Structure formats: structure tokens, C-alpha cells
Amino acid sequence: MPTLTINGKQVTVPAGTPIIRAAAQVGVNIPHFCYHPTLSTPGNCRMCLVEASDARGLAASCYHKCTEGAVVNTETARVKAARQAVLEFILVNHPVDCPICDQAGECKLQDYYMTHDHKPSRVTTAKNSKSKAKPIGPHVVFDGERCILCTRCIRFCDEITGTSELTTEQRGDHTEITTFPGRELDNAYSMCVTDLCPVGALTTRDFRFKTRVWLLSSTDSLCTGCSRGCNIHMEHHEGEVKRYRPRLNPEVNEYWMCDEGRLSYQHHNLGRTTAIRLRDQREVQWPRAARQTAEALTAAVAKANGQVAMLTSPQLSCESLLAAREFASTVLGNATVYVGGNPSGGNDAFLITSDKNPNRAGVVQVFGPAILANTAYKLLEEMEQGRVQALYLMRGELPFDTAGRARFAAALSRVALVVYQGPHGLDLEERAHIFLPSATHAEQDGTYVNETGYAQAAYAAVPAMGQALADWDVLSRIARAAEMPLSFDSFDALHATLAATIAAE
Amino acid sequence: MSVTVRITQRPERTLRVQAYIPEVIRGLSVTTRQMLRNLFGGKDITTIQYPEVKRRYPERYRGLHRLMHRDDGQVRCVACMCCSTACPANCIHIVAAEHDDNGIEKYPATFVIDELRCIVCGFCVEACPCDAIRMDSGVHVQPFLDRDTAFFDKGELLSRGTASIATQGGTFKGSSHSHH
Ligand code: SF4
Ligand code: SF4
Ligand code: SF4
Ligand code: SF4
Ligand code: FES
């Protein structure tokens, strides 16, 4: 455990710690391009040079290990001159495409130039030309001129995904990142290289030219693509979700997320059904919708002889599920609760899990483990045998293939009253008697429990689209109209009830 | 920076001022003198026969926007959105798209300025890294009879444009090398 002094501050770190980590512990930020805590350390960018008493010349703080009694200085004139020289060197061939570069605004080269260099160029010769706007895989586009050859992308593919698609070709200032012959950058995590790339050399094809990053606002949220529950920055502009970016959580997803999950932000914007429909009435406002839904449900439940069902979903947050539980037992007169959700799919040994729903563990916590026996398939059979008179559907994701969905849609016609609440109409909307639009997880707060049992919060990022409301709000309005108000009247109260319920059970 | 303070006294309200009539006569005599000069004074007239005669605008007068051309007549704008970011009136609306020419890459598929919202501050011109947007058209904003006509689209803005004297990279044409 060497103890050393960094900019006058003492710090003790485990043996083998590089200076850059020790410095971070005492709040000293050392600029760097190629170093990344999860990757190997080639020390090729030289941006992290510092003065260390135990080094000949300047030391690269990303691989120079801390030694007992070392004295490190990161802000001396010599270090500053070295940084400036490194940046000037990098910029010799840099195109300074910033106006058309998607990285502008979150570019380390821009930032460091402003803080550590800020000198006009002295270069009078022509710059090298390299690949421009070259797609190197289904999701990633490459710009050779902007690349600073830090090799983070190569190391990611070698060391994290183990897929090794990338390498360098040529030498010197003609070096260029490329895929191996006949290969594409198409692993399941390929877009992570665009987060790793400190400059705009690797950017996503999806976000390309969509907006400028400085216009984005960011809200802490989760990916709902599978039961890993990767932590994300949900980034949005003018009320529209524009992209997901992984948010560091060493316990869940580290710095990464899969491509499919990253692109799943689109479901907030696409295929939405955001208008209320009461049988054939449209352009209905919520007060009337709640009243008429309550009347229809009360009448149907009275006639149904206990044959009432509710389909909940592991797509819903714990709060929505708890509201659904109360709603099922009061307004729906002890309805039988079933569990829907997306069908399971492929998984891998890294992040992707086979359960394509974010909150199955939450369903178990709210309803108890026995609930899992009440599958959507069981509900389908009950419906087909005419044993369901009233059905309340929360979300339209079903664990079926296309044929199964068609069977389910057909079976809905045997149910006297179908109320469907969801952000997307999917193929079930027109089969329902009443459709009530609800918010996606970008539009409402919620807690989701991932596969390993972590309860994680996702916060509302954008206002709900059209007439959509938070799930608890929809249920609560109907319950009030049915004169059986739920036991909470705000999200906060519901959240507190959830915490108390889970602690008690 | 030091601040100079100058104290000025209000003019005294003398009896003559308070008597009102002499001051009115004094005012009317100025008006009458001016009128006679305009009628018989020849060249020495203050009033301009607008719109037949126009006053010369100062060189940095901010007129209607225009979008500048590349050498081949295409729009210079690369849809970087610096202008729309800088615009305090939030009146520039740009949708960027991929250009077929890899050397250009990004261009504005739509570029609309709401001239009714524009407060004519010129920030957009200052922000543009490409000499693509200018307000040196010398045309001042006309009144609009209908809101829709106040939305100037790319075609309209380009119609007032000309080729820029700047080359890609920010130096003047004719200088021996690029600065980056
Ligand atoms: S990589 Fe950074 S410095 Fe280079 S063009 Fe893009 S934003 Fe500008
Ligand atoms: S493409 Fe980006 S991450 Fe890869 S070497 Fe170049 S700068 Fe580094
Ligand atoms: S002049 Fe000012 S208000 Fe008008 S478009 Fe430009 S930045 Fe916006
Ligand atoms: S600042 Fe200039 S180049 Fe950028 S979008 Fe506006 S007009 Fe186009
Ligand atoms: S970060 Fe140390 S050499 Fe690149």
C-alpha cells in the first residue's frame, strides 16, 4: 500500500494502482484519451503525462504505478507544455470538422483543446485524407480523419466482447482503424465503441445528424429491453427521447449496454396510440373516460359471476403493479391476475438476459411467486373456453409468437368487456371495447427490480404524449369514478406504500 | 475600469416657461421656419422622399437574412445549428440531412427562419462558423400581412445569397494556405 503525494495531497492506494487512479481519489483530474478503467493500458496518446519524482522524464500516469514516497505534480509548467505539445501533434492532421461532427459538444479533443491548448494552428501543409463517413457495421459509422488512434475501440472488441473485429492498417500518420477483411463491426454491443471513442471518429448511425448533443437534456433511467436493467442516461430534446447512453453502474452494466437495448428508445416515439377511445367514441376527455369505464366495469363485474381477469405485465414498474393489485381486488372485485410481457429471447454471458422484460422480479415481489403460474397462456385458454366475462389488459406485450397473438386477439371477441390500457395500441387496440392511453417508462417514474434483485429507479424524462397518463393515474381515476378510490392519490404516496408493502411482506 | 459621473441640473422653470404662451409661439416658429425651408430652400431639406429616395444604411446594418452559396451554388450551411442555438428568439428551425457528396456530408434539408419572431440581434451571423448566414442584404424587414409569409425557407433565403468570399476552412480566397 504505497503512500504518495499528488499536487501536495497525500494518498495511500493498493500496490499496482496507476497514478491517474490515485489522482482521481484526491480529486485531481488528469486529462487522458487512451486510458479506460476497464481496458488494457497501451499508453499511446501521451495526454496523461505528469511529473513524478520516481520517473525519468515525464511519466504517463495511466500506466506509471504509484510507488512509496513518490511526489507527483500534474500542473507544472513542464507538464502543461507537454500537454499542449501533445494536442498540437494530434491536431496536425485533425480535420476540425466540428460543425458537422456529431461528437461536437461531448468531444474530449474539443474540451482539452479549450482547457489545455487554445493556440492557433502553426501547420501550413495539407492534411492527410482518410476515410470519411464510412459505415463499418450496421450501427456504427467511422471517420478516419477524426480518429486520434487511441485504440480504445480495438481493445473493447478484443477485451470486452472478445469479437476482435477491429484492427489498424498502414503506419505512422497514415494509420487507420479498420475491420478485418470480410468482417463488419456487428457484435451485440457494437455501439459502445461510440461512447468509448473520445472523438467523433466513431458515431452511431442511428443518432447521426438527429440533433446537437448540447441541446439534449439527460434523465437517469433504465433500459427496459431485458431483465438486466442496464442503467442509462435517457437523453431528450423538446419532449422527445433522442437516444439512450449507458450510465455507469459497476453492479449491473458497468459502462456498457447492448445495441438492441440502446435502440429500444424508439418505442417511446413510434407506434404510440395516445388518444382515448370508448367503443366508437373518440375525442373523449379523461373525466368522461374514467366515468364511463368505471360504469362499464362495475356493470360487467356485477354480471360476470367472478369471471373477471386482469393481465398485468413485467413491463410495468412496481408502483404500477401495486396500483394494479389494489385495482384488481377492489374495482375488479377480486379479479384473477395474470402475467403477460414479451416472449423470452436470446441471452449471452455478458449483459443480455433471456427475459425481455425489465421487472419480472418486481411482479413476484408485488404479487408473490405464485402469480407466475398464471401465465398469459392460461388466460388465453380461459378466454377461449368462455370463462372470462370482463378483462382489464395492462400493456399489450404478450409472450406469444405471431400465431399466438392472433389467437389471443380472436379470443378477445369472446369477452363481454375488454378494457385495454397501454402506450401502444399494437394489434389489440381495435379488439378492445375501451382503449386508455398510458405513459411509457420515459414518461412516468417507476421502480424496476432486475434479474439479480436490484431495485432501480427510472425517472420521468419527458411529458406523456397526447392523452397518455401514468399507469397509476389511469387506474386511480377509474377507481375514484367507481367510488372505490385507491389508497393513494399521488405517485409519492404510492411509492411510499410500495416500500412499506415490500418491507412488510 | 473607472466610471465618470456627470451631474446635470434640470432646467429651471422660469416665469416665462410657466406663462405657456411665449413658449408655444417659440415652438411654432421653429416649425414654421422648417416648413418655409422645405418649401423654398432647395437642396437644404431634412425630409427624404422615401421610398423613391432611400437613406444609405450603415455598413453593419442588419437587414433580412440570406443564406450564402458555395462556389457551385449549393447552400454553404452545414446544419451545425450554432445559429439556432445562439438565437435568443428560438426562431431558426433546421433539419439536418446526409448529403450525397461525402466531402460535404451534412446539409440542411430544411432551414426556416420565422422573421416575425426574429429580434434582429445578429447573433446567428456571429455564431456561424461557415459564413453561411448573413444579414447584410440591406433589405429591411417588411411588414407581413399574413403570418405564413413570415416563415422564410431555404429557397427564399438562398435567393438573396451570393458566393462567399471565404473558402472552406475559414480563410479568404487568394491566401496561400488554410489555417487549420
Ligand atoms: S472529433 Fe471533436 S474536434 Fe474533431 S471534428 Fe469532431 S468535435 Fe471537432
Ligand atoms: S476510432 Fe475512436 S476509439 Fe478508435 S482509435 Fe480512433 S479515436 Fe480511438
Ligand atoms: S437575428 Fe437574432 S433573433 Fe434573428 S434569427 Fe438571428 S439570432 Fe435569431
Ligand atoms: S450556424 Fe451557419 S452553418 Fe451552422 S446551421 Fe447556422 S447557418 Fe448553417
Ligand atoms: S491516457 Fe496515458 S497515454 Fe493515453
Side-chain angles (χ1 to χ4, degrees):
Chain A
M1 295 280 279
T3 299
L4 68 165
T5 315
I6 301 174
N7 290 1
K9 293 175 201 149
Q10 285 227 325
V11 57
T12 307
V13 290
T17 308
I19 292 175
I20 199 168
R21 300 293 290 174
Q25 279 185 32
V26 289
V28 174
N29 251 321
I30 301 175
H32 59 281
F33 288 114
C34 69
Y35 172 76
H36 191 276
T38 60
L39 303 175
S40 60
T41 316
N44 62 28
C45 75
R46 315 313 285 177
M47 191 61 206
C48 66
L49 295 177
V50 295
E51 243 174 57
S53 60
D54 61 341
R56 277 188 305 126
L58 294 173
S61 60
C62 63
Y63 68 69
H64 194 93
K65 305 283 181 286
C66 296
T67 52
E68 183 60 43
V71 179
V72 174
N73 277 302
T74 72
E75 300 301 327
T76 60
R78 205 165 144 226
V79 172
K80 287 180 179 168
R83 273 179 203 153
Q84 207 165 30
V86 167
L87 283 168
E88 185 167 28
F89 217 14
I90 289 176
L91 284 164
V92 164
N93 276 308
H94 198 83
V96 201
D97 272 345
C98 310
I100 56 165
C101 180
D102 273 338
Q103 192 83 1
E106 53 184 8
C107 173
K108 281 211 170 181
L109 184 53
Q110 268 189 333
D111 293 350
Y112 290 161
Y113 173 79
M114 297 312 279
T115 46
H116 300 297
D117 186 359
H118 217 277
K119 275 197 319 188
S121 170
R122 291 184 290 171
V123 179
T124 56
T125 49
K127 299 188 178 210
N128 283 345
S129 344
K130 294 184 185 175
S131 314
K132 294 297 275 181
K134 173 179 155 196
I136 55 165
H139 301 304
V140 179
V141 53
F142 172 66
D143 185 305
E145 294 178 355
R146 295 179 197 151
C147 171
I148 60 162
L149 295 166
C150 69
T151 70
R152 274 181 167 192
C153 51
I154 301 182
R155 283 175 284 142
F156 174 79
C157 295
D158 286 348
E159 297 161 19
I160 305 292
T161 59
T163 44
S164 302
E165 292 97 341
L166 297 177
T167 184
T168 52
E169 61 180 3
Q170 305 281 7
R171 281 186 304 172
D173 62 5
H174 290 281
T175 314
E176 208 172 318
I177 302 293
T178 181
T179 51
F180 277 101
R183 293 198 64 184
E184 284 198 305
L185 179 63
D186 64 353
N187 64 61
Y189 301 87
S190 67
M191 283 193 271
C192 290
V193 299
T194 66
D195 304 325
L196 280 174
C197 183
V199 291
L202 295 169
T203 50
T204 69
R205 292 170 78 171
D206 178 70
F207 187 67
R208 189 167 167 82
F209 301 163
K210 281 258 175 74
T211 180
R212 302 309 317 241
V213 296
W214 57 78
L215 299 173
L216 296 173
S217 312
S218 183
T219 305
D220 286 0
S221 187
L222 304 167
C223 173
T224 52
C226 79
S227 58
R228 173 74 54 188
C230 290
N231 293 209
I232 58 159
H233 300 283
M234 184 178 283
E235 299 192 320
H236 46 96
H237 176 48
E238 291 178 342
E240 191 179 312
V241 181
K242 297 287 185 187
R243 66 173 181 183
Y244 286 176
R245 244 176 356 101
R247 179 163 53 93
L248 173 63
N249 184 339
E251 308 289 338
V252 177
N253 57 315
E254 288 193 299
Y255 296 85
W256 326 116
M257 73 184 299
C258 76
D259 290 353
E260 206 176 317
R262 193 187 294 251
L263 293 176
S264 69
Y265 80 90
Q266 289 161 341
H267 82 265
H268 300 293
N269 309 326
L270 300 178
R272 294 290 299 273
T273 311
T274 58
I276 300 171
R277 182 176 61 75
L278 299 176
R279 299 186 196 268
D280 51 6
Q281 302 174 56
R282 292 170 199 275
E283 294 179 17
V284 183
Q285 299 307 310
W286 272 108
R288 186 143 70 91
R291 206 170 54 240
Q292 293 200 9
T293 309
E295 278 161 16
L297 281 172
T298 318
V301 168
K303 271 197 292 193
N305 228 342
Q307 294 183 329
V308 184
M310 176 185 232
L311 184 75
T312 58
S313 176
Q315 289 286 325
L316 296 168
S317 70
C318 292
E319 287 84 354
S320 303
L321 289 166
L322 187 66
R325 184 176 99 171
E326 200 180 322
F327 188 85
S329 63
T330 56
V331 180
L332 299 182
N334 285 322
T336 320
V337 177
Y338 297 87
V339 183
N342 280 323
S344 40
N347 65 334
D348 65 14
F350 188 31
L351 296 179
I352 302 172
T353 64
S354 53
D355 181 359
K356 301 301 173 198
N357 298 287
N359 200 25
R360 193 171 303 275
V363 172
V364 172
Q365 291 209 354
V366 171
F367 289 97
I371 188 82
L372 294 184
N374 287 355
T375 59
Y377 188 73
K378 211 163 144 189
L379 170 65
L380 172 59
E381 285 186 329
E382 294 286 310
M383 275 157 54
E384 283 178 335
Q385 281 159 28
R387 287 205 292 263
V388 180
Q389 306 306 321
L391 173 63
Y392 199 101
L393 272 177
M394 285 185 83
R395 309 282 299 222
E397 292 88 353
L398 297 169
F400 303 138
D401 57 8
T402 327
R405 283 195 76 92
R407 221 177 113 190
F408 189 88
L412 285 180
S413 58
R414 304 203 51 175
V415 182
L417 176 69
V418 179
V419 180
Y420 175 16
Q421 164 181 342
H424 305 94
L426 303 175
D427 49 350
L428 306 177
E429 197 266 336
E430 55 198 35
R431 303 291 183 133
H433 302 103
I434 296 177
F435 178 80
L436 303 171
S438 65
T440 67
H441 87 285
E443 301 163 350
Q444 58 181 327
D445 292 340
T447 308
Y448 299 80
V449 185
N450 84 347
E451 192 160 83
T452 47
Y454 280 105
Q456 311 188 95
Y459 298 99
V462 293
M465 230 185 240
Q467 288 184 296
L469 290 176
D471 285 297
W472 70 266
D473 202 358
V474 177
L475 297 176
S476 160
R477 282 168 193 243
I478 301 170
R480 241 180 298 139
E483 288 172 359
M484 283 181 261
L486 301 179
S487 58
F488 53 87
D489 53 11
S490 69
F491 179 83
D492 291 343
L494 172 59
H495 183 76
T497 318
L498 174 75
T501 314
I502 287 181
E505 283 169 6
Chain B
M1 204 171 76
S2 71
V3 180
T4 331
V5 180
R6 204 182 58 170
I7 296 173
T8 46
Q9 231 66 52
R10 280 175 186 283
E12 217 183 313
R13 278 166 64 84
T14 57
L15 189 65
R16 190 183 134 91
V17 170
Q18 292 184 47
Y20 183 71
I21 304 291
E23 284 300 289
V24 169
I25 293 171
R26 200 157 74 97
L28 280 174
S29 72
V30 170
T31 312
T32 315
R33 206 167 47 239
Q34 199 64 51
M35 186 190 78
L36 293 174
R37 203 156 94 200
N38 281 353
L39 283 176
F40 309 111
K43 290 220 174 331
D44 193 22
I45 297 179
T46 320
T47 311
I48 310 179
Q49 296 302 317
Y50 186 85
E52 287 78 18
V53 181
K54 286 186 178 125
R55 197 182 281 285
R56 242 188 73 107
Y57 290 133
E59 213 169 311
R60 304 196 62 179
Y61 173 80
R62 296 192 288 270
L64 276 186
H65 297 89
R66 58 186 190 139
L67 282 178
M68 303 299 281
H69 301 176
R70 289 172 188 264
D71 291 347
D72 61 2
Q74 292 190 68
V75 61
R76 273 185 80 81
C77 169
V78 296
C80 70
M81 305 193 190
C82 288
C83 56
S84 54
T85 303
C87 177
N90 203 5
C91 67
I92 307 179
H93 305 279
I94 300 167
V95 179
E98 186 95 40
H99 200 284
D100 294 336
D101 179 352
N102 234 8
I104 294 179
E105 267 190 76
K106 195 181 180 190
Y107 81 107
T110 58
F111 191 115
V112 178
I113 302 182
D114 180 351
E115 294 284 351
L116 267 186
R117 281 186 150 223
C118 172
I119 57 160
V120 207
C121 63
F123 284 8
C124 49
V125 181
E126 300 272 328
C128 182
C130 304
D131 187 28
I133 190 167
R134 291 203 191 175
M135 298 179 79
D136 62 354
S137 59
V139 184
H140 65 214
V141 187
Q142 322 98 321
F144 300 102
L145 293 177
D146 164 358
R147 271 167 206 273
D148 290 348
T149 55
F151 291 101
F152 284 9
D153 66 5
K154 196 170 73 174
E156 166 126 39
L157 293 163
L158 276 170
S159 71
R160 272 188 294 276
T162 52
S164 168
I165 54 160
T167 56
Q168 217 75 36
T171 45
F172 289 115
K173 272 175 192 154
S175 76
S176 55
H177 52 75
S178 147
H179 253 308
H180 291 300

